Amino acid sequence: LNGILGFAQLLASDERKPLLPEQRARLQRIEDAGWHLLALINDLLDLSRIESGSLTLNIENVDLDEASTEVISLLAQSAAESGVEVSLVKRIGRPNCARVDSLRMRQVLTNLLSNAIKYNRYGGTVAIGAFDPRPGFVGLSVRDTGLGMTPVQLEHLFQPFNRLGRETSDAQGTGIGLVIAKGLVEQMGGTISVESTAGVGTEFRVLLPAAKRVAPFKESTKKPHTTELRKGKGTILNSGTGYLLYALMDTIVDNYFPMLEETGEFLDDLE
């Protein structure tokens, strides 16, 4: 799959042999389908790890406002294309910090926010904010003015592969994103709940263990590492296995790094 996506991107970006408009449109369909399949594979792997209890977490103090800001920025284009306004409501002087896995927390936020955008209406809104839970926990809410859900749909909300009757809608999905989000939150010691009204909107509430103490931010004193390509000899180590990935790397070098000399060596194993 990496090879399919890689060669599709190379074909699309080849300025020496540009594609015709109809060819580019067909190639875009291949790439879109590839990314959708990759997302499905990653979701299935996550779901398998959660259900088997083999998910590895790196628990640390995470600023939920900062994480929310990053996710909002990541989905800004999707929100703009859907005509949905996304906002973050911060509480001045009251940090909203939790003891969670930073990467997985962003995964949960991405899922909740992308759904709130996807199943919203043009001109709708999404608001991420905080609420006061019981002692020892912090609360995060994602509230939208979208399609909402009926009581019957809410009963089946966290069932794998159940898209609640929206399989024929334009919004792509696998039906397991919320199942994974719920599993991740519970693995990190929290809970997730939902309230929804059809035609009005939906609010998800996430309860997470609070960070007891947040260490002050220290600016790094290390100088950033920079690499400059110069004409002459160089080496690119491709640690991937299989001829397809080797061929992909070979094409990338030919197209974008012609100054590098190729040895023609292919290493099957790397110790």
Side-chain angles (χ1 to χ4, degrees), residues 172-189:
Q172 288 190 345
T174 60
I176 57 177
L178 282 177
V179 181
I180 293 172
K182 183 175 184 290
L184 290 175
V185 169
E186 291 174 350
Q187 290 274 322
M188 294 186 291

Side-chain angles (χ1 to χ4, degrees), residues 188-223:
M188 294 186 291
T191 61
I192 183 169
S193 60
V194 58
E195 293 181 359
S196 186
T197 302
V200 177
T202 302
E203 180 179 13
F204 283 89
R205 288 195 156 204
V206 182
L207 200 66
L208 298 162
K212 296 181 179 179
R213 180 182 178 186
V214 180
F217 174 75
K218 292 183 179 180
E219 192 169 335
S220 175
T221 56
K222 294 182 179 180
K223 294 183 178 180

Side-chain angles (χ1 to χ4, degrees), residues 23-263:
Q23 292 174 320
R24 188 173 295 276
R26 292 168 185 165
L27 186 64
Q28 186 62 52
R29 288 182 177 272
I30 294 174
E31 193 172 339
D32 289 345
W35 285 116
H36 181 68
L37 181 58
L38 182 61
L40 176 59
I41 292 172
N42 287 333
D43 283 347
L44 288 172
L45 290 173
D46 281 341
L47 185 60
S48 176
R49 294 188 187 102
I50 291 170
E51 291 180 343
S52 65
S54 60
L55 184 70
T56 301
L57 297 173
N58 179 29
I59 302 299
E60 58 183 331
N61 289 350
V62 174
D63 186 325
L64 297 181
D65 286 344
E66 181 180 310
S68 298
T69 300
E70 292 179 11
V71 173
I72 290 173
S73 176
L74 179 67
L75 298 175
Q77 182 176 349
S78 175
E81 292 173 352
S82 301
V84 175
E85 182 182 350
V86 182
S87 62
L88 172 63
V89 181
K90 295 183 179 181
R91 298 193 298 185
I92 306 299
R94 299 181 64 183
N96 203 30
C97 298
R99 289 285 296 170
V100 291
D101 182 291
S102 177
L103 178 63
R104 296 301 184 178
M105 189 63 234
R106 283 163 172 79
Q107 184 178 350
V108 170
L109 284 168
T110 300
N111 181 273
L112 295 178
L113 184 55
S114 63
N115 278 350
I117 294 171
K118 241 187 330 187
Y119 300 111
N120 215 309
R121 56 182 175 80
Y122 192 87
T125 62
V126 179
I128 301 178
F131 65 91
D132 293 318
R134 63 179 184 266
F137 288 83
V138 294
L140 181 77
S141 69
V142 178
R143 185 176 66 257
D144 66 65
T145 60
L147 301 177
M149 290 173 280
T150 65
V152 174
Q153 288 175 316
L154 284 173
E155 290 179 7
H156 303 283
L157 181 61
F158 293 108
Q159 290 181 354
F161 306 106
N162 191 337
R163 295 198 62 198
L164 307 178
R166 291 169 181 162
E167 295 83 358
T168 58
S169 68
D170 294 334
Q172 288 190 345
T174 60
I176 57 177
L178 282 177
V179 181
I180 293 172
K182 183 175 184 290
L184 290 175
V185 169
E186 291 174 350
Q187 290 274 322
M188 294 186 291
T191 61
I192 183 169
S193 60
V194 58
E195 293 181 359
S196 186
T197 302
V200 177
T202 302
E203 180 179 13
F204 283 89
R205 288 195 156 204
V206 182
L207 200 66
L208 298 162
K212 296 181 179 179
R213 180 182 178 186
V214 180
F217 174 75
K218 292 183 179 180
E219 192 169 335
S220 175
T221 56
K222 294 182 179 180
K223 294 183 178 180
H225 176 72
T226 58
T227 302
E228 182 181 353
L229 280 175
R230 297 182 177 88
K231 291 185 177 181
K233 292 185 178 181
T235 301
I236 293 181
L237 176 63
N238 176 19
S239 60
T241 58
Y243 179 76
L244 182 61
L245 290 180
Y246 175 77
L248 176 60
M249 181 59 71
D250 184 60
T251 306
I252 293 174
V253 171
D254 285 343
N255 286 354
Y256 297 101
F257 303 102
M259 73 288 291
L260 299 182
E261 295 182 3
E262 187 177 2
T263 64

